[in-house]
Amino acid sequence: MSFPLRAITLDLDDTLWPFAPIGARIDQVLHDWMREHSPRTAERFPVAAMRELRERSFAENPHLHHDLSALRRLTLKQALAESGADPELLEPAYEVFYAARNQVECYPDALDALTRIAAKVPVAAVSNGNADLERIGLSQHFVFQLGSREHGAAKPEASIFHAACARLGVAPGEVLHVGDHIEMDVLGAARAGLRSCWLNRQAQRWAHPSLRPDLEFDTLTALADWLDAHPSFATEHAAA
């Protein structure tokens, strides 16, 4: 597979790092904090109940699906209110959540591969999540980070992909979007006119009847190797 490539947009959760361990840590850290600072909330909403409240908030507020931070604040606000706790605890509780949310452990291959890729083409982070690359310490690998909250719409909406391409100054057909999610990343990018790379770490089967990713790898290293095998891309980037 060969095509013009002048920039890459990259998903974050479950692409650079697994999200499941982060989610579990968030649940426990928040519960421990509530036990200390708002015992009534911890008693009323143990980990499973807080998770159910969060899922209910998500289901009842589709207009906020692009803003996971707003949804998290809404969940915490509801938990504090229903347990009769001090509403002033909202922002301290959110900060506890956000600190835990940005404690990530990258996949073993990710950092070296990301360094190699960013040396060849500009890389922009495009994510529906609310990770902060500055807080995580990875922002130096990216020309910018575009989140769905900042943009006002989430993947797979074409507008977020087009906004990233506009900021890169590159036509959609010359941008490769890399991500793990079939609908949000691969199909969303393809429908928006970008090239797509499915990072299929879990050996899933492709089931869409017509669209397929331009590239498919099981590690980010494999993408870096593919770029190394196409040195003309690096030349195009240097001349851009």
Side-chain angles (χ1 to χ4, degrees):
M1 177 72 68
S2 181
F3 48 81
L5 173 58
R6 295 183 56 210
I8 284 175
T9 54
L10 186 68
D11 177 53
L12 297 177
D13 290 325
D14 292 321
T15 295
L16 280 186
W17 54 72
F19 182 75
I22 301 171
R25 184 188 311 116
I26 289 169
D27 288 344
Q28 191 59 54
V29 166
L30 262 178
H31 182 66
D32 291 344
W33 187 88
M34 289 294 185
R35 287 177 62 188
E36 179 179 354
H37 297 276
S38 184
R40 285 182 295 179
T41 306
E43 181 179 3
R44 171 71 177 80
F45 293 99
V47 169
M50 185 69 84
R51 189 179 300 123
E52 290 174 3
L53 178 61
R54 186 175 71 250
E55 291 171 355
R56 188 167 75 243
S57 296
F58 188 88
E60 293 175 352
N61 295 277
H63 64 291
L64 292 177
H65 284 185
H66 69 285
D67 190 344
L68 298 184
S69 292
L71 282 168
R72 178 67 67 163
R73 280 191 170 92
L74 179 59
T75 300
L76 291 170
K77 182 178 180 180
Q78 289 176 322
L80 292 170
E82 291 183 25
S83 58
D86 183 355
E88 294 298 319
L89 292 174
L90 173 59
E91 287 306 317
Y94 179 82
E95 180 52 37
V96 168
F97 149 74
Y98 203 53
R101 197 268 179 266
N102 285 298
Q103 293 173 10
V104 308
E105 184 173 347
C106 291
Y107 290 108
D109 67 296
L111 290 183
D112 178 69
L114 177 60
T115 301
R116 290 170 58 194
I117 293 167
K120 290 187 174 294
V121 292
V123 180
V126 177
S127 174
N128 288 351
N130 51 4
D132 184 335
L133 290 172
E134 287 284 351
R135 291 181 67 149
I136 293 169
L138 295 178
S139 61
Q140 69 272 20
H141 299 290
F142 297 86
V143 292
F144 61 82
Q145 176 178 2
L146 178 61
S148 57
R149 179 186 186 188
E150 172 192 354
H151 175 67
K155 298 180 296 185
E157 291 292 329
S159 63
I160 191 169
F161 293 106
H162 292 162
C165 294
R167 285 180 65 173
L168 287 163
V170 178
E174 297 179 316
V175 177
L176 177 69
H177 180 71
V178 182
D180 70 290
H181 199 282
I182 292 174
E183 179 65 31
M184 301 297 180
D185 292 309
V186 182
L187 298 180
R191 290 165 178 154
L194 285 72
R195 298 291 185 167
S196 62
C197 174
W198 186 25
L199 197 60
N200 184 15
R201 294 186 182 274
Q202 306 303 320
Q204 301 177 67
R205 293 185 62 185
W206 185 263
H208 193 275
S210 55
L211 293 175
R212 293 195 61 86
D214 294 290
L215 300 170
E216 178 183 342
F217 301 114
D218 59 2
T219 65
L220 207 58
T221 295
L223 173 59
D225 291 343
W226 184 83
L227 286 170
D228 285 343
H230 297 76
S232 62
F233 291 157
T235 301
E236 288 183 23
H237 169 38

